[in-house]
Amino acid sequence: MTELHWLQSTAFQSLLNHLVDKLDSAEQRGSASAQTISLNAASWPALYRAAKESDKEFLWEQLRDLVKLGWLQVTPLTASRSETGYDEKPRIKVLDIAAIRKATGRMERQKTAVERWREALALHLDAPDEIKRAAGDYCIDMPDREMAEVVKRLNVLKDLASRPMLLREVSARLFWGMSKVLDNRTGLVAVLLGLDECPFLESPVQLQVYLPHGGFCGVLFIENLMSFEKAIRAKGEAFSKLALVYASGFKGSAARLRTPEAVSLFFSHKGELGGDRIDYFESWLHGKNIALPVSFWGDLDWSGMRILAAMRNNFPNMKAWEPGYQPMLQSLLAGQGHSPEASDKKGQRPMMTSGCKYADTHLIPALSAHGRFVDQEQFTL
């Protein structure tokens, strides 16, 4: 290699590394070798963007030396014989893979995280092959930890299966105090334990609840914390006889919302805490044969409509709260509100229906027609 010292130049290393990238991609696909590639400004900019023709001829002569050594093949054949063959739209193919890899210092392909994960499972997971294959779809790539270490910790999971733990508690127990490793990996837990569903609950949904003095005959979910606080302090009739509930964002739409073990309730000291009011609310929330009208009030935007639609999975009779949305709708129809870009909401996707008649008849058509949003916090009822 001493006589080929020019291989270490930036110009040639860019080309050789490009060729090795192609070899790596081919190997990952299971192909024995890379296909031929076109030589052009994209694959070898040092040659095709050289300022002087003499520089191009010099680089091309060096590449022809690699052809003579049997490292590369150039087509058409006339291009490899010409001093300006680079003008003939040539294609090259690697013939001596070991030599090209040695010249770049990349003797082996760097395996992907998924490949390394599946290898670690095959070697270290105490489970049948079909479970190892299924677990291969849930790669855990942790900084500062070898995948073998991670897989060995998964072998402890079966010892925790019967304990009443939250998913993040299990994660912290397995993975050196890190509680979020198993977030969005409940499928992996179910696979490893041979169950249809993950037996560990995710972190409880936290609901803040205000119960009006004198009892309540309906429930109103409020999207934004400021509006929830305003409603608690409101002196008018708008919120009379309504239990008010705040759950940020889409948390109120969680499928487990009506499961006692999956919800933590925090009752405001400004409301009524005595008697059986709390027990009555909990019985309603957990579906114990108590029928109450339930509504949702949030921003008049696509996100708010999606929360309404999602919450109707838990509360099929939920409606958009007209006393709150009607003044917002009037504001929108009067040309007020703001563009999605003005409040960093441009990524919200439109929807056709929420399942609520009032929202589908009035709110969603107005959003579609005007392309503007109205924030809930602007309105005090």
Side-chain angles (χ1 to χ4, degrees):
M1 291 282 291
T2 55
E3 69 277 11
L4 301 178
H5 58 86
W6 43 266
L7 282 176
Q8 300 306 311
S9 67
T10 302
F12 252 91
Q13 282 294 306
S14 67
L15 173 63
L16 298 181
N17 275 283
H18 181 72
L19 294 174
V20 173
D21 289 342
K22 295 296 183 181
L23 291 170
D24 286 350
S25 297
E27 182 181 327
Q28 189 174 350
R29 296 193 305 269
S31 176
S33 62
Q35 296 178 340
T36 59
I37 67 167
S38 297
L39 280 183
N40 49 43
S43 58
W44 198 7
L47 171 68
Y48 285 90
R49 294 176 182 169
K52 300 178 180 179
E53 198 68 24
S54 59
D55 292 337
K56 294 181 180 180
E57 293 176 1
F58 179 68
L59 289 174
W60 185 250
E61 182 60 30
Q62 291 173 331
L63 184 131
R64 292 170 65 199
D65 287 343
L66 298 185
V67 172
K68 295 173 183 177
L69 288 172
W71 290 19
L72 301 175
Q73 179 186 71
V74 174
T75 53
L77 188 59
T78 54
S80 64
R81 295 173 177 171
S82 170
E83 294 181 355
T84 57
Y86 48 83
D87 286 332
E88 298 184 32
K89 298 181 179 180
R91 300 182 64 86
I92 62 172
K93 181 178 181 179
V94 176
L95 298 181
D96 192 333
I97 295 175
I100 295 295
R101 284 192 174 278
K102 185 176 181 180
T104 60
R106 296 166 59 183
M107 296 306 296
E108 294 184 357
R109 176 177 65 87
Q110 185 69 37
K111 294 180 180 178
T112 66
V114 172
E115 288 177 307
R116 291 184 286 111
W117 172 249
R118 290 173 177 171
E119 288 181 357
L121 289 172
L123 292 172
H124 303 289
L125 185 65
D126 296 335
D129 288 343
E130 60 268 21
I131 290 181
K132 292 180 179 180
R133 286 192 293 271
D137 293 332
Y138 301 91
C139 178
I140 301 178
D141 189 6
M142 297 178 65
D144 305 323
R145 295 287 178 178
E146 295 291 334
M147 285 187 172
E149 294 181 87
V150 176
V151 171
K152 289 175 182 178
R153 293 304 300 159
L154 289 177
N155 291 327
V156 182
L157 183 62
K158 56 181 176 292
D159 298 330
L160 306 177
S162 61
R163 301 188 187 184
M165 302 174 67
L166 295 173
L167 185 64
R168 287 193 173 182
E169 291 181 285
V170 174
S171 177
R173 184 75 62 88
L174 292 178
F175 302 116
W176 307 281
M178 286 177 274
S179 63
K180 299 180 182 179
V181 177
L182 294 178
D183 285 5
N184 301 316
R185 291 190 174 98
T186 54
L188 172 62
V189 175
V191 163
L192 294 175
L193 296 178
L195 302 173
D196 292 331
E197 294 182 353
C198 173
F200 307 111
L201 294 172
E202 298 180 56
S203 298
V205 176
Q206 295 186 351
L207 298 181
Q208 298 184 41
V209 183
Y210 167 83
L211 302 179
H213 292 278
F216 57 93
C217 56
V219 180
L220 174 62
F221 283 82
I222 299 178
E223 179 184 358
N224 295 293
L225 181 59
M226 182 184 299
S227 297
F228 173 75
E229 289 290 345
K230 286 182 179 179
I232 288 176
R233 293 169 171 77
K235 302 300 183 182
E237 295 296 317
F239 303 100
S240 177
K241 298 298 181 180
L242 289 176
L244 307 178
V245 184
Y246 167 71
S248 64
F250 280 84
K251 290 183 179 179
S253 65
R256 63 192 189 281
L257 180 66
R258 308 197 76 169
T259 304
E261 298 83 4
V263 177
S264 293
L265 297 171
F266 298 86
F267 292 89
S268 170
H269 72 281
K270 292 183 173 63
E272 184 171 359
L273 302 180
D276 61 353
R277 306 297 189 199
I278 292 178
D279 291 341
Y280 185 71
F281 180 87
E282 290 184 349
S283 296
W284 165 80
L285 180 64
H286 301 145
K288 295 181 179 179
N289 299 318
I290 297 176
L292 288 173
V294 57
S295 304
F296 170 77
W297 180 38
D299 293 331
L300 183 51
D301 58 16
W302 294 121
S303 179
M305 294 299 98
R306 288 188 182 280
I307 294 174
L308 169 63
M311 290 191 69
R312 284 176 55 83
N313 292 324
N314 286 323
F315 307 97
N317 64 332
M318 175 176 277
K319 299 177 181 179
W321 191 54
E322 290 191 40
Y325 274 115
Q326 192 59 31
M328 299 170 69
L329 176 61
Q330 292 173 351
S331 175
L332 179 62
L333 296 177
Q336 300 175 22
H338 57 79
S339 66
E341 293 78 10
S343 59
D344 197 25
K345 296 183 178 182
K346 61 182 179 180
Q348 294 190 15
R349 294 176 292 111
M351 59 186 296
M352 298 299 295
T353 178
S354 68
C356 165
K357 183 178 179 181
Y358 171 68
D360 295 348
T361 304
H362 299 283
L363 304 181
I364 290 177
L367 286 171
S368 297
H370 292 267
R372 298 177 70 81
F373 299 154
V374 179
D375 289 344
Q376 176 185 35
E377 292 93 336
Q378 300 176 27
F379 295 83
T380 301
L381 305 180

